[in-house]
């Protein structure tokens, strides 16, 4: 059996990406379940994937099972089970280096920076499985408040507060601790999205905001520069310069620049639809993922 082993079901991008990937595998005919503490299912996004108890899975897993994981901290415990392991690389940091050096672990990467990191650190040729955003985020014609700037205060709240003090013409909308549907609706109603998560490995919120038709103003990030293209899909500025950047792109005479960024962002976001990832998964199966999975 195949299990995607997760540390919990809280409101974190990695949890949603894990469930989403498990669902894609299930749709592809792979016998699949998600293992969570207390076999709890998330309530903040829509999920139809079977859920089982993580403790029971870890205690009983053996050589005929495959365990997929994304949290590096889980590696020692899962390695001790003797099951086949697949590392679903959602973030890059020295903490994952021992996993990359373990040739018995199949490595899946979600984006270009992670693929490059695996090759640089351990000369690993990873399997690209892509990453996607939920269809709920794509703009559906909902009316927008062009003077509203959405942001997520969990990371970089001080940057957002500085922007709020600097740009008095905008209303700032914090999005935190809400369901995926509420988050998507908030972004689809907002004119701007302020990305403040410094050192973010990939970070889906800015990409979700592009899909929702927001003008994205963001700090540079580690992996997300794959889709954050300054002047084409987003306005990129260092944290200390972000308030001034937001002021410049939101001023009255910058309408054509905003329209161009919205169009570029929407086009970029379309590359990350679930349907696109589903096609990429078929290629990944042929590239070796199928052989790493359990089929009984």
């Amino acid at each position: 059996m195949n299990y995607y082993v997760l540390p919990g079901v809280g409101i974190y991008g990695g949890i949603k990406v894990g469930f989403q990937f498990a669902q894609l595998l299930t749709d592809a005919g792979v016998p699949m379940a998600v293992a969570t503490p207390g076999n709890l299912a998330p309530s903040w996004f829509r999920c139809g994937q079977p859920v089982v108890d993580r403790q029971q899975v870890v205690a009983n897993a053996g050589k005929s099972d495959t365990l997929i994981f994304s949290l590096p901290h889980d590696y020692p415990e899962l390695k001790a089970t003797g099951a086949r392991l697949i590392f679903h690389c959602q973030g890059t940091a020295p903490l994952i280096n021992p996993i990359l050096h373990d040739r018995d672990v199949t490595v899946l990467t979600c984006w270009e920076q992670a693929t490059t990191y695996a090759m640089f650190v351990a000369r690993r040729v990873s399997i690209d499985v892509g990453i996607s955003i939920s269809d709920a985020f794509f703009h559906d014609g909902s009316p927008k408040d062009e003077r509203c700037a959405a942001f997520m205060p969990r990371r970089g709240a001080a940057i957002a507060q500085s922007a709020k003090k600097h740009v008095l013409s905008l209303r700032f909308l914090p999005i935190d601790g809400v369901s995926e549907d509420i988050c998507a609706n908030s972004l689809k109603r907002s004119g701007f999205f302020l990305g403040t998560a410094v050192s973010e490995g990939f970070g889906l919120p800015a990409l979700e905001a592009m899909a929702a038709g927001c003008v994205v103003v963001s700090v540079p990030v580690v992996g997300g520069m794959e889709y954050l293209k300054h002047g084409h899909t987003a306005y990129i500025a260092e944290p200390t310069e972000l308030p001034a950047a937001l002021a410049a792109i939101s001023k009255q005479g910058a309408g054509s620049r905003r329209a161009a960024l919205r169009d570029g962002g929407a086009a970029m976001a379309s590359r990350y639809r679930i349907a696109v990832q589903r096609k990429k998964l078929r290629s990944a199966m042929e590239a070796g993922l199928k052989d790493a999975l359990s089929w009984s």
Side-chain angles (χ1 to χ4, degrees):
M1 183 63 176
N2 302 283
Y3 302 95
Y4 199 121
V5 182
L6 289 172
V9 294
I11 304 178
Y12 297 98
I15 301 298
K16 182 167 66 172
V17 170
F19 268 93
Q20 203 171 63
F21 187 61
Q23 186 65 62
L24 287 172
L25 288 171
T26 297
D27 293 344
V30 178
M32 190 79 213
V34 178
T36 67
N39 65 286
L40 294 175
S43 60
W44 57 279
F45 62 91
R46 299 172 190 177
C47 171
Q49 186 64 26
V51 177
V52 295
D53 183 66
R54 172 187 166 125
Q55 184 176 359
Q56 292 295 321
V57 167
V58 172
N60 297 307
K63 294 180 179 179
S64 62
D65 299 307
T66 298
L67 307 181
I68 306 175
F69 69 105
S70 58
L71 185 68
H73 303 77
D74 287 337
Y75 170 60
E77 180 183 30
L78 301 185
K79 180 70 175 177
T81 65
R84 291 187 288 183
L85 299 185
I86 296 177
F87 178 51
H88 188 206
C89 184
Q90 296 185 32
T92 57
L95 195 62
I96 74 170
N97 292 2
I99 305 171
L100 298 179
H101 282 289
D102 186 343
R103 299 288 164 168
D104 291 329
V105 178
T106 300
V107 177
L108 311 180
T109 50
C110 301
W111 68 95
E112 184 179 351
Q113 188 270 341
T115 301
T116 302
Y117 186 89
M119 175 59 69
F120 176 77
V121 168
R123 307 302 297 173
R124 291 298 300 269
V125 178
S126 57
I127 301 174
D128 177 15
V129 294
I131 198 166
S132 59
I133 53 178
S134 301
D135 289 339
F137 287 95
F138 286 86
H139 194 236
D140 54 6
S142 302
K144 278 188 169 292
D145 179 353
E146 299 296 342
R147 308 315 295 170
C148 177
F151 69 100
M152 296 184 177
R154 179 183 292 174
R155 295 179 61 186
I159 300 173
Q161 286 301 316
S162 178
K164 187 175 182 179
K165 293 178 182 178
H166 190 88
V167 188
L168 300 178
S169 61
L170 296 181
R171 179 175 63 86
F172 288 77
L173 174 66
I175 302 175
D176 190 30
V178 298
S179 69
E180 181 180 69
D181 284 342
I182 292 175
C183 177
N185 288 334
S186 297
L187 289 174
K188 285 188 283 192
R189 293 197 306 268
S190 299
F192 297 87
F193 177 78
L194 200 60
T196 60
V198 178
S199 300
E200 177 68 73
F202 189 82
L204 293 179
L207 190 58
E208 292 166 343
M210 288 180 186
C214 297
V215 174
V216 174
V217 182
S218 176
V219 298
V221 296
V222 178
M225 301 312 290
E226 175 179 306
Y227 64 83
L228 287 169
K229 304 295 184 182
H230 179 64
H232 297 282
T233 65
Y235 199 124
I236 310 301
E238 294 295 333
T240 56
E241 303 298 325
L242 202 67
L246 181 61
I249 198 64
S250 63
K251 65 183 181 182
Q252 187 172 0
S256 60
R257 292 173 67 196
R258 291 194 295 272
L261 290 176
R262 282 199 179 99
D263 289 346
M268 179 62 76
S270 68
R271 302 181 190 180
Y272 294 87
R273 280 192 177 273
I274 291 177
V276 175
Q277 189 184 10
R278 188 171 286 113
K279 292 180 181 178
K280 186 168 287 189
L281 180 61
R282 288 199 288 268
S283 298
M285 286 290 199
E286 297 174 1
L289 176 55
K290 183 177 182 179
D291 294 334
L293 294 166
S294 300
W295 294 93
S296 59

